[in-house]
Amino acid sequence: MKLSTIIPLLPLASATPTQQARPHPSLNKYPGLDILAKRAGLLYFGTAIDNVVLNNSAYISIAHNSSEFGQVTPSNGQKWMYIEPSRNNFSYSMADAIVKPAIRARQMRRCHTFVWHNQLPAWLEGGNWTKAELTGVLENHIRNEARYFGNGCYAWDVVNEAFEDDGSFRDSIWLRVLGKEYIELAFRFARKYVGRRVRLYYNDYGIERVNVKSKVVAAMVKDFIDRDIPIDGIGLQAHFTVGRAPTYDDVKAALNLFIPLGVETALTELDVRIQLPDSLEKQALQAQVYANSTKACMDVGDCVGVTVWDFWDPVSWVPETFPGYGNACLFDDGLKRKQAYYAVSDVLRDDGE
Ligand SMILES: *[C@@H]1O[C@H](CO)[C@@H](O)[C@H](O)[C@H]1NC(C)=O
Ligand SMILES: *[C@@H]1O[C@H](CO)[C@@H](O)[C@H](O)[C@H]1NC(C)=O
Ligand SMILES: *[C@@H]1O[C@H](CO)[C@@H](O)[C@H](O)[C@H]1NC(C)=O
Ligand SMILES: *[C@@H]1O[C@H](CO)[C@@H](O)[C@H](O)[C@H]1NC(C)=O
Ligand SMILES: *[C@@H]1O[C@H](CO)[C@@H](O)[C@H](O)[C@H]1NC(C)=O
């Protein structure tokens, strides 16, 4: 199909005379993103959910609607500062508030994340560790968290964001104390404590084009495979900005870069922020970026699914992290579906021609 045609129209508010002759666009044209994604051959269409919004029943009824989202990622609840707030003291309540309803709703879980440089507790970040001690801390954390969540996760983001944009290793307590071997150590511990069917992912941003960083990630994964270090997948976060987002061709080329490695891929944190003030034109471009990325995943065999980094504008991480930007999600302030929602549906249905 021609890509220029994949920008979908908004559902018709009222039928024009010519359109009345055709079947009215019925409700089942939009049966939910996950239903369409599975029909299109993906494993899931998912969303991240944050704890701040658990008191909002209108939000929750969409978040845990498995026709809409077949997969859930806790935005924050499985990060180190919440899971192990003091040493060897594990707290799963924040994560459970999202994971348990997801299990009840039969939504797959992507679990996020064992090792990251960010959102670490002070006892860990401020500690004066020897290599042996910090290795023990890392193994203990992964062992406890992996055992608690059992084999219930479809995938774990084992290591998150280990590289800078120029392809160098990102500075962190892990790199400083353990050296770059911390990455493979984390994957070995993860494999030791989660079931074989749970996919172990490396997850990063800025790798949705063929560039220095995506090539460095590909080289690391190839090296892991050559040396029998367990790794099953690469997560491309896909945090995009209207006006400078990767195109369909860019994302497809990046996904293709990973195919020879024999691992699966996924878009794990898709959102498309808009420089405010918002406009219908910007929303149309946003819709195209969402559709382009989703289609790239559909068109590359090893890409198993797409996860949006929340679906509701008011709870997105964007406005706080990128002042002046916002409205990055599929649903607007009033929980109404935006052009981007319909664009993703239409591209999943593959009837854009
Ligand atoms: C779930 O979402 C789908 C798609 O929007 C909708 O058709 C369905 O009615 C929803 N189910 C519930 C229980 O809200
Ligand atoms: C949920 O809690 C937040 C923060 O505590 C509050 O701002 C918001 O109004 C609450 N929403 C509902 C629907 O109760
Ligand atoms: C464990 O962490 C929780 C949550 O921060 C805290 O309330 C509790 O006191 C801690 N327990 C121990 C033994 O440190
Ligand atoms: C860190 O530990 C080393 C080895 O025990 C010690 O020499 C050094 O003074 C400690 N540094 C700090 C800031 O505590
Ligand atoms: C979507 O992808 C197509 C094909 O790569 C490209 O021509 C188009 O500009 C992209 N749209 C946006 C808004 O990036």
Side-chain angles (χ1 to χ4, degrees), residues 37 44 70 95 119 144 164 195 215 220 228 250 271 312 330 338:
Y44 58 81
Q119 289 181 272
N144 279 276
E164 299 281 3
K215 286 181 189 165
M220 176 190 74
D228 275 334
D250 291 332
D271 58 13
W312 192 32
L330 299 175
K338 293 161 59 173

Side-chain angles (χ1 to χ4, degrees), residues 7-18:
I7 314 178
L9 298 168
L10 284 163
L12 299 169
S14 60
T16 61
T18 29

Side-chain angles (χ1 to χ4, degrees), residues 123-169:
W123 67 268
L124 173 53
E125 188 130 44
N128 183 18
W129 307 101
T130 65
K131 214 167 168 167
E133 280 170 343
L134 193 61
T135 303
V137 164
L138 178 64
E139 179 165 10
N140 189 53
H141 182 80
I142 294 178
R143 179 174 55 233
N144 279 276
E145 192 175 4
R147 284 190 177 155
Y148 184 81
F149 292 107
N151 295 329
C153 307
Y154 166 75
W156 263 103
D157 289 331
V158 176
V159 176
N160 196 39
E161 302 178 357
F163 296 102
E164 299 281 3
D165 288 347
D166 66 2
S168 61
F169 287 100

Side-chain angles (χ1 to χ4, degrees), residues 285-353:
L285 286 170
Q286 176 187 54
Q288 208 181 59
V289 174
Y290 266 103
N292 275 351
S293 320
T294 302
K295 179 153 178 60
C297 181
M298 288 164 64
D299 289 351
V300 176
D302 292 1
C303 189
V304 299
V306 177
T307 307
V308 291
W309 205 246
D310 225 303
F311 61 90
W312 192 32
D313 284 338
V315 291
S316 164
W317 70 307
V318 164
E320 209 179 299
T321 315
F322 305 97
Y325 289 81
N327 295 1
C329 301
L330 299 175
F331 287 65
D332 71 11
D333 288 14
L335 268 176
K336 295 243 166 25
R337 290 164 175 77
K338 293 161 59 173
Q339 285 192 58
Y341 175 93
Y342 295 108
V344 170
S345 293
D346 289 346
V347 85
L348 286 168
R349 215 185 309 99
D350 202 18
D351 68 355
E353 13 202 343

Side-chain angles (χ1 to χ4, degrees), residues 199-321:
R199 307 317 198 261
L200 306 181
Y201 268 67
Y202 176 75
N203 193 52
D204 212 332
Y205 65 87
I207 58 172
E208 305 84 4
R209 289 185 166 92
V210 175
N211 58 22
V212 178
K213 190 171 180 178
S214 58
K215 286 181 189 165
V216 162
V217 169
M220 176 190 74
V221 172
K222 179 168 189 322
D223 171 58
F224 279 16
I225 289 163
D226 290 347
R227 292 190 294 121
D228 275 334
I229 292 154
I231 185 163
D232 306 306
I234 300 172
L236 296 80
Q237 292 185 0
H239 292 294
F240 297 146
T241 307
V242 165
R244 45 194 152 94
T247 63
Y248 165 82
D249 291 287
D250 291 332
V251 178
K252 192 173 174 188
L255 291 168
N256 276 327
L257 180 67
F258 302 127
I259 284 205
L261 307 171
V263 295
E264 62 181 49
T265 50
L267 303 184
T268 53
E269 308 187 9
L270 175 61
D271 58 13
V272 185
R273 57 185 178 266
I274 285 175
Q275 184 165 22
L276 303 173
D278 201 347
S279 69
L280 286 175
E281 290 72 25
K282 290 177 188 175
Q283 284 182 28
L285 286 170
Q286 176 187 54
Q288 208 181 59
V289 174
Y290 266 103
N292 275 351
S293 320
T294 302
K295 179 153 178 60
C297 181
M298 288 164 64
D299 289 351
V300 176
D302 292 1
C303 189
V304 299
V306 177
T307 307
V308 291
W309 205 246
D310 225 303
F311 61 90
W312 192 32
D313 284 338
V315 291
S316 164
W317 70 307
V318 164
E320 209 179 299
T321 315

